[in-house]
């Protein structure tokens, strides 16, 4: 059987590491013009900074904070054809500071989506990669927003832009009406005023009337993802408390992984294939914390998934359940079946 390398992780997602210079600098080598860039200092205590082309490139929100959206040219000033340009703020470009940036391709600013009862301001969607950026204004009444993915989303996160609110999200494997919070290590909760108990569809996500996701007159952003064979996978696994831990089949060699224990308190652990770039993949950051990069023995990244190599409760506590998102690159055969190994 012939195998063709599908460069989806290069075309639609890429981790780019760089060192800050304390002034302005252009970061190249991303491989495309990103529409969503997430930056975190590896060597100092700084917030996670999130930028996208839909809200506007100079507008930032922070995964570890509940703060409203901020606007500054001193963070990220432009998205460029092969990366992005930075200002001199230490959260993204401090002198001699090492950073990780995670970059996704959507579809520019997008356009209004009218599939839901709440028309979106903009929906920018990459259906091939299963990624959508949605902005909308809350109504105060339960309703739906169109995501444009064409399939049922497996993961989403919503953040208020115009006021201080937590991040609220949902993942495949949880019950409808359950909620997790990106800015917190708390266990899942059930709150149908945030996301109703109605299942999402191939067109819409169901919002409740809560001010956290739908405050009347306030602006919000939603990032939604769907699994794509040979590129990404979202779901759950169960820990076994053993250093020979659970294997999670993704059908793709992950380039980026987030895991979160959701049946009890647990941090949002981030690993990728660039830090350090080999197994055991020992470097991690936490989406809900401003802490610098630390080391543990979280996972082996394998050709078709990842395997827990730690007994730490953040990854592999016996009897606890974890949600995960995995984005990567695979070999896909002529029959469209991913290759499992070389």
């Amino acid at each position: 059987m012939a195998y063709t390398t599908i460069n989806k992780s290069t075309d639609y997602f890429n981790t780019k590491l760089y060192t800050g210079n304390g002034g302005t600098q252009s970061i190249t080598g991303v491989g495309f013009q990103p529409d969503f860039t997430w930056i975190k200092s590896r060597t100092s205590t700084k917030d996670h900074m999130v930028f996208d082309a839909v809200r506007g490139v100079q507008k930032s929100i922070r995964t570890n904070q509940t703060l409203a959206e901020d606007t500054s040219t001193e963070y990220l000033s432009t998205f460029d054809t092969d990366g992005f340009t930075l200002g001199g703020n230490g959260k993204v470009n401090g002198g001699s500071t090492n950073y990780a940036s995670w970059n996704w391709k959507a579809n520019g600013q997008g356009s209004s989506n009218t599939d839901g009862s709440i028309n979106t301001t903009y929906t920018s969607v990459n259906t091939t990669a299963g990624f959508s950026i949605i902005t909308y204004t809350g109504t105060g009444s339960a309703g739906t927003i169109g995501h444009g993915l064409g399939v049922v989303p497996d993961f989403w996160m919503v953040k208020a832009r115009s006021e201080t609110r937590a991040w609220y999200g949902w993942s495949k494997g949880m019950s409808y009406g359950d909620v997790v919070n990106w800015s917190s290590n708390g266990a899942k909760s059930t709150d149908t005023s945030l996301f109703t108990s109605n299942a999402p569809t191939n067109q819409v996500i169901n919002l409740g009337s809560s001010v956290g996701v739908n405050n009347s007159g306030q602006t919000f952003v939603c990032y939604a993802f769907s699994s794509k064979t040979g590129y990404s996978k979202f779901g759950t696994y169960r820990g076994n408390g053993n250093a020979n831990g659970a294997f999670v089949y993704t059908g793709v060699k992950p380039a980026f992984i987030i895991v979160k224990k959701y049946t009890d308190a647990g941090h949002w652990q981030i690993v990728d294939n660039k830090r350090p770039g080999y197994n055991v993949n020992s470097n991690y950051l936490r989406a809900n914390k401003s802490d610098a990069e630390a080391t543990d023995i979280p996972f082996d990244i394998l050709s078709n998934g990842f395997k827990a190599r730690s007994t730490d409760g953040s990854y592999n506590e016996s009897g606890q359940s974890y949600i995960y998102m995995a984005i990567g690159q695979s070999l896909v055969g002529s029959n469209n079946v991913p290759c499992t190994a070389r």
Side-chain angles (χ1 to χ4, degrees), residues 244-302:
N244 184 20
F247 168 70
V248 181
Y249 175 78
T250 62
V252 59
K253 184 175 183 178
F256 174 85
I257 303 167
I258 298 182
V259 301
K260 165 76 170 81
K261 179 168 57 176
Y262 71 94
T263 46
D264 201 349
H267 296 292
W268 292 86
Q269 305 287 121
I270 307 171
V271 299
D272 60 59
N273 64 347
K274 303 283 181 70
R275 301 172 302 115
Y278 51 84
N279 287 328
V280 175
N281 211 73
S282 59
N283 297 40
Y284 70 87
L285 290 159
R286 289 172 166 169
N288 61 298
K289 300 284 284 184
S290 63
D291 300 350
E293 184 175 275
T295 57
D296 197 350
I297 312 176
F299 301 116
D300 278 343
I301 293 179
L302 305 173

Side-chain angles (χ1 to χ4, degrees), residues 3-174:
Y3 290 98
T4 303
T5 301
I6 304 300
N7 291 312
K8 288 182 177 178
S9 63
T10 301
D11 294 342
Y12 304 135
F13 172 82
N14 199 5
T15 298
K16 176 65 180 178
L17 308 181
Y18 65 92
T19 300
N21 67 4
T24 60
Q25 70 166 321
S26 294
I27 305 301
T28 60
V30 171
F32 54 86
Q33 180 168 319
D35 295 310
F36 176 99
T37 292
W38 176 353
I39 296 174
K40 175 66 180 81
S41 169
R42 302 173 59 195
T43 48
S44 61
T45 301
K46 300 290 184 184
D47 290 335
H48 292 253
M49 306 297 288
V50 173
F51 308 87
D52 67 67
V54 178
R55 292 182 296 116
V57 63
Q58 296 169 6
K59 299 179 184 296
S60 63
I61 45 179
R62 311 174 188 200
T63 65
N64 61 299
Q65 295 275 9
T66 61
L67 298 172
E69 182 179 86
D70 185 22
T71 303
S72 175
T73 58
E74 288 299 301
Y75 297 139
L76 196 151
S77 57
T78 61
F79 288 123
D80 306 325
T81 56
D82 189 31
F84 49 88
T85 297
L86 299 166
N89 188 279
K91 292 181 176 63
V92 298
N93 194 24
S96 302
T97 302
N98 294 331
Y99 295 86
S101 73
W102 302 292
N103 303 273
W104 278 262
K105 183 67 178 171
N107 190 23
Q109 190 174 54
S111 57
S112 178
N113 181 298
T114 59
D115 290 338
S117 62
I118 302 170
N119 292 341
T120 69
T121 310
Y122 296 104
T123 298
S124 175
V125 60
N126 184 337
T127 55
T128 304
F131 176 50
S132 179
I133 306 170
I134 305 147
T135 59
Y136 64 95
T137 299
T139 65
S141 300
T144 57
I145 52 170
H147 52 70
L149 292 168
V151 295
V152 177
D154 294 320
F155 182 95
W156 67 76
M157 275 286 170
V158 173
K159 176 71 179 74
R161 301 170 55 193
S162 50
E163 59 182 353
T164 298
R165 300 285 179 193
W167 292 78
Y168 296 107
W170 179 88
S171 176
K172 181 179 180 180
M174 294 166 53

Side-chain angles (χ1 to χ4, degrees), residues 178-196:
D178 282 353
V179 179
V180 286
N181 179 348
W182 225 352
S183 48
S184 166
N185 71 337
K188 73 172 180 69
S189 60
T190 301
D191 188 342
T192 55
S193 73
L194 289 165
F195 305 119
T196 73

Side-chain angles (χ1 to χ4, degrees), residues 224-241:
F225 299 82
S226 60
S227 299
K228 291 295 179 179
T229 300
Y231 172 63
S232 63
K233 188 74 181 293
F234 304 82
T236 63
Y237 68 91
R238 194 168 180 84
N240 66 8

